[in-house]
Amino acid sequence: MIKKLMRSVREYKRASILTPLFVGMEVIVECIIPFVTAKLIEQIQNGCEMSVIVKHGLMLVALAFASLSFGALSGYFCAIASSGFAKNLRHDLYAAIQGFSFQNVDKFSTSGLVTRTTTDVTNLEISYMMIIRTAVRCPMMLIFALVMAIITSAQLSVAFAVIIPFLAIGLFFIIRAAWWIFDDVFRRYDALNNSVQENVSGMRVVKSFVRENYEKEKFGKASDDVCRDFTRAEKLLALNSPLMQICLNAVMIVVMLFGSRIIISSGGKALHVGQLSALLTYGFQILMSLMMLSMIIVTIAISIASAKRVCEVLDEKSAITSPEPALCEVADGSIEFSNVSFRYSAEAEKAALANINLSIRSGETIGIIGGTGSSKSTLVQLIPRLYDATEGQVKVGGHDVRDYELSALRNAVSMVLQKNLLFSGTIRDNLRWGDENASDEELERICRLAQADEFIRALPDGYDTHIEQGGTNVSGGQKQRLCIARALLKKPKILILDDSTSAVDTKTDALIRKAFAEEIPNTTKIIIAQRIGSVEHADRILVMDNGTISACGTHEELLASSDIYREVYESQTKGGQSDEQ
């Protein structure tokens, strides 16, 4: 796990090495200062000349300046190293997520992935910062201060040898108790983020059903869970400070009591005031180092839970990858399903698709209808390898889709999904997702095909109109037409419309289909729809039922042979007649 995370250090290795180097120099200087101070006090007691005091004073100023410089440099390089590590780790996480198939994305919730790329990475950034700086400083300070204390007075140093294990054991039990709480708390964060995400993205639904109070209660519960766990952990960690104070005060009392007796009884020969002052300083440094070590351990404990969650994403292998060698060109838009079955997971009791056999010629228009849950969308998602068939073979352009390089296959297939998504930016920016090099004239021509040009020109800024995140400032029908135009700009060999004209009127729907027939006759078109009118002029229509192809034929053939198709047709036409009456 550590090795995997350290790959994200990359170009920040130099800063990561310089940080502990300067920390070590800072610690050495800080441990020398009390020793020099003790010597100065001894010289003053012995009635030294002013030149000796100035000499020691200048030495202390130089040491203080050196300590300040080393501390500043270690902080400077630590900031570069930790921030750079976090930047690279976020990049690696995002790159891994972008390479996932739908199957991999389904394994992690959206809120879980958000928490991993934000909260978890921040925890690891803080932990890395402490590891390369504070975690180096504290053990070094502990060791050097203890050595200097022994050099100063081996007799009084026994107090440190007694108190250090006592403090270490106390801190160990406190941290151990808090460790397991932090291990669970990030799952609470996932629930909290999920509540926020659902509420914000579904704000219109929440308000239309007047469910604000329910959503507040749900968020409050998730927030209370996080608060409760953190409170439990913080209550335990709060014991660190009083334990530290007890140990520190106890050491100070022992050192001052026995040190004063030694000074008085020996007349300052066995121990002088300067040495006692240095011992108190070293004692404080030793115990503060232990205190900081305990906080480092707590931070690392938190980050271990975060590291596991981040590595889960980094370790996840995409279920769909390009083969070696791979085909880089799709010959045409022909499609063939041979004995295809599909399950969303190995544990699924029932197959979403079962024994699908279908051959589609290049340039053919295929309509697909079926009830909710009949796996219409699942069928077409196998074509660009958003999922892979569990059994059987899907061919595009005469070759198995698994033989293609993924980007080549997906560039040949344009999909307009049920949930149309526009990104924040101008209409022009959104359209150029289909072809980043498309000219303004090409954008306008394609938008005319998708029946989007007219409403775009009616907007105040035309094609430069800003689209809010998710396309919330355009209507459903406008959003669908923009998504269709974006898909057409790819100049695909296969165009899949997954119920993507449901929000447009029948006239606009007919005009879009007419434009397809006239302008892209060689593109294979697959239209999933609920309205019979959207597919009745297709070359063939598939009737999906319970994950299988129930019937296949033209509009007239299906009216004569398919009970399901005829029932849908009659319910829609009778509904239309009753509306007119």
Side-chain angles (χ1 to χ4, degrees):
M1 184 170 69
I2 293 172
K3 185 178 179 181
K4 186 177 293 295
L5 292 173
M6 287 302 98
R7 292 174 189 165
S8 297
V9 176
R10 293 199 284 279
E11 69 269 30
Y12 298 99
K13 285 180 181 177
R14 178 174 172 271
S16 298
I17 293 170
L18 287 175
T19 298
L21 181 64
F22 285 117
V23 165
M25 294 178 180
E26 181 189 14
V27 167
I28 292 171
V29 172
E30 284 189 9
C31 287
I32 292 173
I33 288 174
F35 189 79
V36 174
T37 303
K39 289 291 183 184
L40 176 59
I41 294 172
E42 183 182 5
Q43 292 289 341
I44 293 172
Q45 281 183 319
N46 294 333
C48 66
E49 296 181 357
M50 191 64 189
S51 59
V52 175
I53 296 174
V54 172
K55 177 184 175 182
H56 281 78
L58 291 174
M59 189 183 299
L60 287 172
V61 170
L63 288 171
F65 181 76
S67 175
L68 176 64
S69 300
F70 291 141
L73 286 169
S74 67
Y76 172 76
F77 286 110
C78 181
I80 293 174
S82 58
S83 298
F85 165 71
K87 180 200 73 174
N88 286 345
L89 187 56
R90 286 192 186 95
H91 177 273
D92 294 344
L93 271 173
Y94 191 73
I97 294 167
Q98 289 297 306
F100 285 171
S101 67
F102 277 21
Q103 183 177 341
N104 298 112
V105 174
D106 292 343
K107 181 178 177 180
F108 301 97
S109 67
T110 303
S111 58
L113 291 174
V114 170
T115 304
R116 284 167 169 84
T117 54
T118 52
T119 304
D120 288 325
V121 171
T122 300
N123 288 336
L124 290 173
E125 178 183 3
I126 295 170
S127 181
Y128 187 68
M129 177 180 65
M130 296 190 76
I131 286 170
I132 62 175
R133 191 180 186 194
T134 314
V136 173
R137 176 186 170 83
C138 291
M140 287 186 69
M141 179 64 77
L142 180 66
I143 294 167
F144 278 106
L146 187 58
V147 169
M148 294 302 292
I150 293 171
I151 292 172
T152 303
S153 175
Q155 188 177 3
L156 287 178
S157 297
V158 175
F160 302 134
V162 172
I163 206 68
I164 286 173
F166 175 78
L167 180 58
I169 291 169
L171 293 174
F172 170 77
F173 282 109
I174 292 171
I175 293 164
R176 185 183 179 187
W179 186 298
W180 305 110
I181 300 173
F182 284 118
D183 198 39
D184 292 333
V185 78
F186 294 105
R187 283 190 288 272
R188 310 282 191 189
Y189 263 125
D190 285 351
L192 187 69
N193 286 342
N194 188 55
S195 177
V196 174
Q197 180 196 345
E198 284 186 345
N199 187 273
V200 173
S201 61
M203 185 65 70
R204 287 171 174 77
V205 177
V206 172
K207 290 187 177 299
S208 63
F209 282 89
V210 197
R211 297 284 283 178
E212 291 92 340
N213 289 335
Y214 171 79
E215 287 297 321
K216 287 177 184 176
E217 289 176 7
K218 187 171 73 171
F219 177 82
K221 184 179 182 304
S223 183
D224 287 344
D225 288 341
V226 172
C227 178
R228 184 177 62 251
D229 282 351
F230 263 115
T231 302
R232 285 172 58 205
E234 292 298 333
K235 282 180 179 178
L236 289 169
L237 296 178
L239 297 174
N240 279 1
S241 183
L243 180 62
M244 168 70 185
Q245 291 298 324
I246 290 171
C247 293
L248 180 62
N249 292 331
V251 167
M252 296 302 130
I253 291 171
V254 169
V255 170
M256 290 184 71
L257 177 63
F258 288 96
S260 300
R261 289 185 63 181
I262 293 171
I263 292 172
I264 294 169
S265 60
S266 66
K269 295 179 180 179
L271 184 74
H272 57 77
V273 175
Q275 289 176 310
L276 179 61
S277 174
L279 278 172
L280 293 173
T281 302
Y282 290 135
F284 183 77
Q285 289 176 339
I286 289 169
L287 295 179
M288 282 304 297
S289 297
L290 277 173
M291 180 68 175
M292 289 305 298
L293 272 175
S294 73
M295 298 309 299
I296 292 168
I297 294 170
V298 170
T299 303
I300 292 174
I302 296 172
S303 66
I304 284 174
S306 293
K308 288 178 181 176
R309 288 161 53 82
V310 166
C311 285
E312 281 178 4
V313 178
L314 296 176
D315 288 334
E316 183 75 9
K317 301 298 181 185
S318 178
I320 296 175
T321 56
S322 299
E324 289 291 343
L327 297 173
C328 296
E329 185 66 33
V330 178
D332 55 47
S334 61
I335 304 167
E336 184 178 349
F337 289 81
S338 300
N339 300 312
V340 170
S341 295
F342 174 75
R343 295 174 185 270
Y344 279 101
S345 69
E347 295 77 25
E349 296 181 1
K350 184 182 176 183
L353 293 170
N355 197 32
I356 300 295
N357 287 281
L358 175 66
S359 181
I360 301 173
R361 298 183 300 276
S362 182
E364 198 172 5
T365 299
I366 300 296
I368 303 178
I369 71 163
T372 303
S374 58
S375 296
K376 305 184 295 296
S377 298
T378 304
L379 178 71
V380 297
Q381 286 174 358
L382 300 181
I383 298 171
R385 287 192 76 193
L386 298 181
Y387 292 99
D388 266 341
T390 307
E391 298 174 14
Q393 190 179 50
V394 181
K395 290 184 178 180
V396 169
H399 295 278
D400 193 314
V401 292
R402 286 169 282 206
D403 293 336
Y404 286 106
E405 203 278 323
L406 272 173
S407 61
L409 174 65
R410 290 174 180 172
N411 276 329
V413 181
S414 274
M415 288 191 71
V416 184
L417 301 172
Q418 286 176 308
K419 293 182 178 179
N420 298 289
L421 180 63
L422 296 174
F423 297 89
S424 54
T426 65
I427 289 177
R428 204 182 302 274
D429 293 337
N430 272 276
L431 292 173
R432 285 197 170 119
W433 273 66
D435 181 2
E436 60 183 353
N437 298 315
S439 65
D440 290 345
E441 292 75 15
E442 180 68 2
L443 292 181
E444 293 170 12
R445 188 184 74 82
I446 291 297
C447 284
R448 284 193 291 271
L449 292 182
Q451 305 302 309
D453 182 68
E454 184 179 351
F455 87 77
I456 293 174
R457 291 185 181 280
L459 295 171
D461 297 318
Y463 283 82
D464 293 315
T465 299
H466 185 79
I467 297 293
E468 301 296 337
Q469 185 178 11
T472 55
N473 59 331
V474 291
S475 70
Q478 291 172 339
K479 189 188 299 183
Q480 286 185 337
R481 282 175 278 173
L482 288 173
C483 289
I484 291 171
R486 181 174 63 188
L488 287 173
L489 275 168
K490 285 180 68 176
K491 300 179 180 64
K493 291 182 170 64
I494 299 170
L495 175 64
I496 300 171
L497 305 178
D498 188 355
D499 202 19
S500 54
T501 57
S502 58
V504 301
D505 58 83
T506 53
K507 179 182 176 182
T508 303
D509 187 10
L511 288 172
I512 292 172
R513 286 186 281 108
K514 182 174 181 291
F516 287 171
E518 294 174 354
E519 299 289 336
I520 50 172
N522 297 321
T523 298
T524 303
K525 297 166 282 291
I526 300 176
I527 303 170
I528 298 175
Q530 299 294 333
R531 292 190 301 224
I532 294 290
S534 297
V535 298
E536 64 178 328
H537 298 293
D539 297 317
R540 281 183 293 162
I541 303 168
L542 307 181
V543 180
M544 297 289 295
D545 183 39
N546 204 25
T548 62
I549 298 177
S550 173
C552 178
T554 63
H555 173 67
E556 290 75 16
E557 289 171 346
L558 291 175
L559 282 176
S561 62
S562 173
D563 292 337
I564 296 175
Y565 188 84
R566 187 167 53 251
E567 182 181 340
V568 174
Y569 175 76
E570 289 176 353
S571 66
Q572 291 184 5
T573 53
K574 286 178 180 178
Q577 291 170 0
S578 62
D579 289 343
E580 290 174 5
Q581 292 171 359

